């Protein structure tokens, strides 16, 4: 096994790629929501509810499955979840109606939690003084997967039946399974003598006792919620305002490459300066993005600028919050991550549902009003709970 001092760049890159390939499953639906609505002859709000099920399934997978990483061999757990994720994508590929797709979407969410087992594993393998950089690199892969998935989904949806998006996802995960089997470091930590029900019962206690975990959870809820407010409705807005299809919605996802490029830099800033600073910047960038969307969204160049700022704000928050969460009690790292990411994707699910509902009844300004709610909550949390000025670098 690679010890704390020996985590190689190759292993970090592999973990980043794995996180990106798996998390992509959650986002394939966003650029093709309009195509699904037309294919199954249902409303956009109904498809929005299906997209919400993916996020909701992921949130509950985080709560019920990710804590198992504190008990079982993480290498085997990652592989097991990957196999289940492949099966879920195949069900989505074969779905004949919106009901089956909804069930498949819920399963895709539940089974795609392996990245949140990989992240604590990467933190465990890395030196404390370089943890922010390592997490920044792994999270770069995570964000790249989100961006590429939107683009791939939108482009495939523009040239062939949208079902094939999920077949390609299943193939990609199958290839990844064999690569991880060959190259992912084995977890030699051994089985932990903790009962599953005790692990789940400890989650509320951990959340109540850790102030910084509370702040990270609320901030993650809001910043990922803001991201989903946009991406759950962008395809609708592009069609309504600019008469553009799913392919363009997917291509716009590539604008988030800014966040990918900055992830490692953000990690270094967190290591050197303060996560309080970077989280404040994340809230600021996200808020400015929606001001631009609300006031200047009718101009395509303004839409581009806003998307770049929003993805950058999301990445500032994600890297900073993960650095905070992984510095809290390493013995419970998977449970800490489970609590944080449960809140994170609960925010995504809530935002997806509320923004598609707002679009149906109030249009683009209704969507931006939903974003305002998330900005206000994030700001209050930032001012009241207060993130740490420095990350603790205890060697574990």
């Amino acid at each position: 096994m690679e010890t704390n001092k020996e985590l190689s760049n190759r292993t970090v890159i592999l973990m980043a790629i794995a996180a990106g390939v798996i998390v992509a499953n959650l986002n394939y639906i966003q650029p093709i929501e309009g195509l699904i609505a037309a294919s199954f002859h249902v409303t956009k709000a109904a498809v929005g509810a299906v997209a919400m099920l993916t996020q909701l399934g992921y949130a509950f997978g985080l709560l019920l499955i990710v804590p198992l990483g504190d008990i079982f061999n993480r290498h085997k757990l990652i592989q097991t979840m990957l196999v289940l994720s492949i099966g879920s994508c195949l069900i989505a590929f074969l779905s004949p109606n919106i009901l089956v797709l909804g069930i498949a979407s819920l399963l895709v969410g539940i089974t795609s939690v392996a990245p949140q087992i990989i992240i604590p594993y990467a933190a465990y393998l890395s030196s404390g003084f370089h943890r922010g950089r390592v997490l920044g690199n792994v999270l770069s892969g995570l964000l790249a997967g989100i961006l590429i998935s939107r683009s791939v989904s939108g482009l495939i949806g523009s040239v062939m039946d949208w079902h094939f998006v999920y077949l390609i996802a299943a193939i990609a995960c199958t290839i990844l399974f064999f690569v991880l089997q060959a190259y992912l470091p084995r977890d030699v930590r051994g089985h932990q003598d903790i009962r599953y029900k005790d692990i789940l019962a400890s989650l509320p206690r951990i959340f109540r006792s850790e102030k910084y975990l509370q702040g990270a959870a609320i901030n993650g809820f809001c910043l990922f919620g803001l991201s989903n407010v946009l991406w759950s409705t962008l395809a609708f807005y592009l069609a309504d305002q600019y008469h553009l299809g799913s392919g363009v919605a997917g291509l716009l996802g590539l604008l988030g490459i800014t966040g990918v490029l900055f992830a490692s830099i953000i990690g270094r800033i967190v290591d050197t300066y303060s996560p309080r600073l970077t989280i404040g910047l994340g809230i600021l960038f996200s808020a400015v993005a929606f001001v631009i969307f609300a006031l200047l969204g009718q101009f395509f160049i303004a839409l581009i600028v806003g998307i770049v700022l929003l993805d950058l704000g999301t990445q500032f928050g994600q890297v900073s919050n993960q650095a905070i969460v992984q510095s809290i009690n390493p013995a419970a790292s998977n449970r800490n991550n489970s609590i944080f990411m449960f809140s994170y994707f609960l925010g995504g699910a809530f935002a997806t549902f509320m923004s598609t509902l707002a679009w149906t009844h109030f249009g683009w300004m209704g969507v931006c009003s939903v974003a305002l709610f998330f900005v206000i909550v994030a700001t209050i949390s930032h001012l009241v709970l207060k993130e740490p000025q420095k990350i603790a670098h205890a060697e574990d």
Side-chain angles (χ1 to χ4, degrees), residues 50-118:
V50 170
M52 177 197 70
L53 286 175
T54 306
Q55 304 287 348
L56 201 59
Y58 195 71
F60 281 98
L62 291 164
L63 193 65
L64 300 175
I65 296 172
V66 171
L68 292 173
D70 284 336
I71 307 175
F72 298 117
N73 182 296
R74 283 170 286 199
H75 183 279
K76 292 181 180 178
L77 185 58
I78 291 166
Q79 295 288 78
T80 300
M81 297 314 302
L82 193 50
V83 170
L84 295 174
S85 188
I86 292 167
S88 300
C89 288
L90 289 176
I91 295 173
F93 166 62
L94 297 171
S95 59
N97 54 52
I98 193 69
L99 177 60
V100 175
L101 180 62
I103 295 170
S105 295
L106 183 66
L107 293 175
V108 166
I110 292 171
T111 60
S112 297
V113 296
Q116 305 311 324
I117 303 169
I118 292 171

Side-chain angles (χ1 to χ4, degrees), residues 338-354:
S338 176
I339 293 168
F340 167 63
M341 293 306 300
F342 173 76
S343 178
Y344 193 80
F345 277 88
L346 197 63
F350 180 67
T352 296
F353 178 73
M354 291 304 298

Side-chain angles (χ1 to χ4, degrees), residues 2 4 17 57 77 83 93 105 110 133 135 178 181 194 209-210 222 236 247 253 267 279 285 319 351 372 375:
E2 296 175 65
N4 285 1
I17 292 172
L77 185 58
V83 170
F93 166 62
S105 295
I110 292 171
R133 177 179 58 81
L135 290 174
F178 290 107
Q181 182 66 29
I194 312 173
S209 65
E210 299 289 353
C222 294
F236 303 150
I279 285 176
F285 288 148
V319 174
L372 178 62
V375 170

Side-chain angles (χ1 to χ4, degrees), residues 72-304:
F72 298 117
N73 182 296
R74 283 170 286 199
H75 183 279
K76 292 181 180 178
L77 185 58
I78 291 166
Q79 295 288 78
T80 300
M81 297 314 302
L82 193 50
V83 170
L84 295 174
S85 188
I86 292 167
S88 300
C89 288
L90 289 176
I91 295 173
F93 166 62
L94 297 171
S95 59
N97 54 52
I98 193 69
L99 177 60
V100 175
L101 180 62
I103 295 170
S105 295
L106 183 66
L107 293 175
V108 166
I110 292 171
T111 60
S112 297
V113 296
Q116 305 311 324
I117 303 169
I118 292 171
I119 289 170
Y121 194 26
Y124 167 77
L125 292 171
S126 63
S127 166
F129 286 101
H130 299 99
R131 187 165 292 153
R133 177 179 58 81
V134 170
L135 290 174
N137 288 330
V138 174
L139 290 167
S140 290
L142 194 79
L143 183 57
I146 293 172
L147 302 180
I148 293 171
S149 67
R150 291 169 182 161
S151 301
V152 167
S153 176
L155 291 172
I156 292 173
S158 68
V159 298
M160 65 179 71
D161 189 278
W162 62 264
H163 286 85
F164 284 93
V165 169
Y166 289 99
L167 177 61
I168 292 171
I171 293 171
C173 287
T174 302
I175 295 170
L176 178 65
F177 174 86
F178 290 107
V179 173
L180 292 182
Q181 182 66 29
Y183 297 107
L184 186 67
R186 271 27 179 198
D187 186 0
V188 299
R189 178 193 51 175
H191 178 81
Q192 305 298 299
D193 189 20
I194 312 173
R195 292 181 299 179
Y196 179 58
K197 67 176 184 179
D198 292 336
I199 283 281
L200 294 184
S202 70
L203 296 178
R205 173 180 54 78
I206 291 172
F207 182 70
R208 288 194 302 268
S209 65
E210 299 289 353
K211 173 187 172 183
Y212 292 144
L213 181 58
Q214 294 169 12
I218 295 172
N219 183 262
F221 179 97
C222 294
L223 290 188
F224 190 60
L226 283 166
S227 177
N228 277 267
V229 167
L230 173 71
W231 292 107
S232 297
T233 56
L234 181 62
F236 303 150
Y237 184 65
L238 288 174
D240 182 72
Q241 179 69 32
Y242 299 102
H243 309 292
L244 297 172
S246 64
V248 176
L251 287 174
L252 284 175
L254 291 176
L255 292 171
I257 192 66
T258 306
V260 175
L261 295 175
F262 271 84
S264 183
I265 296 172
I266 295 168
R268 290 188 178 94
I269 295 172
V270 172
D271 283 335
T272 306
Y273 298 103
S274 166
R276 182 160 175 74
L277 168 66
T278 47
I279 285 176
L281 289 173
I283 296 171
L284 177 62
F285 288 148
S286 299
V288 171
F290 272 97
V291 170
I292 292 172
F293 294 147
L295 300 181
L296 302 170
Q298 69 273 24
F299 301 107
F300 200 74
I301 186 64
L303 200 63
I304 290 173

